Amino acid sequence: QVQLVESGGGLVQPEGSLTLSCAASGFGFGDVLMNWFRQAPGKERDSEWVSSIVSTGEAADYLDSVKGRFIISRDNSKNTLYLQMNALKPEDTALYYCGTYLYDHGNVRGPGTQVTVSS
């Protein structure tokens, strides 16, 4: 069974940090590109892509507004994707979820973990 489960969200003050995790199972995690997305309050799911990392972890890309603040990484031995978020801003408040595309399943997404940035 293909499954993605995020964790690590919470309430954090502006300029604070959080690290999100995404545990994958049921597919060849080390063979696929992985993504982080976020859904801000009042917006639709898949409304904003945040970051991607290739299967080997050697290359990554970021939404312009998070460049220099967020770092995506992966541990293929643990089937886990990470998102280190630094210097958080109130506009980063959203439901964060990981996702990928699998040939035989299509788009796969986890349920998400809530990040709230507020003083």
Side-chain angles (χ1 to χ4, degrees):
Q1 179 183 1
V2 172
Q3 193 170 23
L4 297 171
V5 179
E6 303 88 348
S7 61
L11 174 64
V12 62
Q13 293 188 341
E15 295 302 312
S17 298
L18 279 176
T19 297
L20 307 182
S21 298
C22 167
S25 60
F27 65 98
F29 177 81
D31 298 327
V32 301
L33 179 144
M34 291 296 299
N35 308 280
W36 283 102
F37 302 91
R38 65 187 181 186
Q39 180 183 10
K43 297 290 183 66
E44 294 184 356
R45 195 149 169 95
D46 279 1
S47 58
E48 191 166 61
W49 164 84
V50 176
S51 182
S52 294
I53 187 168
V54 300
S55 59
T56 60
E58 293 178 347
D61 198 7
Y62 299 91
L63 179 69
D64 281 349
S65 63
V66 309
K67 280 181 181 176
R69 299 189 298 122
F70 290 12
I71 302 172
I72 190 172
S73 63
R74 63 193 297 162
D75 186 338
N76 289 344
S77 70
K78 296 181 179 180
N79 287 353
T80 303
L81 176 72
Y82 303 98
L83 186 67
Q84 180 181 340
M85 306 186 295
N86 303 311
L88 284 160
K89 304 176 181 182
E91 51 264 41
D92 294 318
T93 293
L95 180 70
Y96 284 74
Y97 52 101
C98 58
T100 190
Y101 176 84
L102 301 178
Y103 177 77
D104 52 352
H105 287 81
N107 286 320
V108 179
R109 306 281 187 266
T113 185
Q114 179 66 38
V115 173
T116 302
V117 185
S118 175
S119 54

